[in-house]
Amino acid sequence: MTNVIDGKAVAAALRLRVAERAAAFAARAGRPPGLDVVLVGEDPASQVYVRNKGRACEEAGMRSAIHRLPADTTQDALSALLDRLMADEAVDGVLVQLPLPAHLDERAVLARIEPSKDVDGFHPANVGALWLGREALVPCTPWGCVRLLDHAGVKLEGARAVIVGRSNIVGKPMAALLIQRSATVTVAHSRTRDLAELCAEADVLIAAVGRAKLVGADWVKPGAAVIDVGINRDAEGKLVGDVDFAAVAPKAGAITPVPGGVGPMTIACLLENTVRAAWRRAGYGALDL
Ligand code: NAP
């Protein structure tokens, strides 16, 4: 199907460009860009994510380090590690893998990461800068969605966009990015009335919910661009998105699959943010990527 957006291919191309910029940075700075990832506890999904991020960094010629802390780590011990990473000049990006164990204060942890090293884009200063339309480190998943829409040639200016999901990591920053691109944006959530009808008016539909196959063909306007952020397991344990791909793909103008859509872009955009952070901290000026 020609309308399927190949996230793997778009991500691979971005990773190549990032690797070129990482090499240019290393030649100038005398060291590669570096990402430090902090993992607290032993959540199996988080372990996989963290390992993949580290591997992707190394493939792009960047330094990566994973700091594994036990599940009963105290707030003070985590803060001390973050303070050490903030003071280390060779650390360009720091990411704390979420979710954290319940006894830790996530908000305080995220606020402890300096905005210039905040490659997840979750610090209030980066969130504010994004909404003000200023230079910011932007959350990787929504940024990857914009890159996929651009790759597919979807016109955002003047488009009606509906985002289903209002989380701080996907839905809200997605809204900020699409407003910046002059789309007319509606953000829907669990309390939205007439959700199917609302979605069926969208030229661009972003599903970021976490409910397998929530979005069916009757939710989608013919020719719409559909971006599926969701990661779920269906009854057979197969990885599926929030969109019923088989039903929606024939109707959509462009659609991302799960797996192989948004997921690979999230990691590629994390690498992009790390090189951007390194470039900016070194004062090397604008970075074209
Ligand atoms: P989240 O924090 O749980 O937020 C889910 C959002 O969906 C909430 O705003 C919730 O509304 C809304 N919602 C829940 N049920 C709904 C329903 N029946 N109808 C309409 N809205 C509903 O999740 P998240 O972190 O944003 O992640 C969303 C999905 O994306 C998950 O499947 C996650 O695994 C996936 N994800 C993928 C990537 C990637 O790289 N591909 C990255 C991040 C997340 P309320 O606010 O009213 O509760």
Side-chain angles (χ1 to χ4, degrees):
M1 252 181 295
T2 52
N3 64 343
V4 178
I5 305 173
D6 184 347
K8 263 197 207 162
V10 182
L14 176 57
R15 283 165 69 153
L16 277 181
R17 296 200 300 280
V18 168
E20 282 169 18
R21 305 306 188 275
F25 178 90
R28 231 167 131 179
R31 62 162 184 89
L35 172 68
D36 285 58
V37 179
V38 179
L39 174 62
V40 185
E42 264 130 48
D43 177 63
S46 294
Q47 306 252 24
V48 175
Y49 291 143
V50 162
R51 213 176 309 130
N52 289 345
K53 286 168 185 174
R55 198 176 303 144
C57 265
E58 277 149 27
E59 281 170 18
M62 289 153 58
R63 180 193 62 76
S64 90
I66 301 175
H67 305 268
R68 295 173 197 277
L69 301 179
D72 61 356
T73 295
T74 63
Q75 189 85 25
D76 283 349
L78 180 52
S79 297
L81 170 61
L82 291 175
D83 290 351
R84 189 163 64 71
L85 297 176
M86 291 312 123
D88 187 339
E89 272 309 304
V91 173
D92 296 297
V94 174
L95 176 161
V96 177
Q97 185 66 41
L98 301 177
L100 286 169
H103 70 280
L104 294 170
D105 179 350
E106 181 182 304
R107 216 189 274 183
V109 168
L110 296 182
R112 206 151 189 123
I113 299 172
E114 266 179 35
S116 66
K117 296 190 178 189
D118 170 37
V119 285
D120 258 341
F122 294 160
H123 189 285
N126 277 318
V127 176
L130 172 62
W131 281 99
L132 291 169
R134 298 195 189 145
E135 197 172 275
L137 286 166
V138 176
C140 305
T141 300
W143 179 236
C145 294
V146 172
R147 282 201 171 278
L148 289 175
L149 287 163
D150 284 342
H151 173 84
V154 176
K155 189 169 178 258
L156 295 175
E157 189 182 331
R160 279 182 191 213
V162 173
I163 301 161
V164 192
R166 57 174 163 177
S167 72
N168 291 335
I169 65 168
V170 189
K172 284 182 198 163
M174 189 77 239
L177 287 167
L178 291 177
I179 290 169
Q180 224 170 62
R181 295 289 297 273
S182 299
T184 303
V185 179
T186 305
V187 181
H189 45 77
S190 67
R191 258 94 16 112
T192 298
R193 284 198 304 263
D194 305 323
L195 183 58
E197 289 82 352
L198 182 73
C199 290
E201 287 176 5
D203 303 308
V204 176
L205 178 61
I206 316 277
V209 178
R211 298 270 184 286
K213 300 185 183 180
L214 176 75
V215 177
D218 53 337
W219 289 40
V220 175
K221 177 170 157 177
V226 181
I227 302 290
D228 190 353
V229 182
I231 301 176
N232 314 287
R233 297 268 168 199
D234 71 5
E236 289 89 51
K238 214 178 104 204
L239 207 62
V240 294
D242 291 343
V243 176
D244 184 346
F245 184 84
V248 171
K251 202 173 175 187
I255 184 167
T256 59
V258 176
V262 174
M265 285 305 286
T266 297
I267 289 201
C269 290
L270 173 66
L271 302 182
E272 172 182 349
N273 274 355
T274 304
V275 171
R276 280 194 189 285
W279 209 266
R280 227 173 266 164
R281 291 182 56 253
Y284 290 169
L287 176 65
D288 174 34
L289 251 169

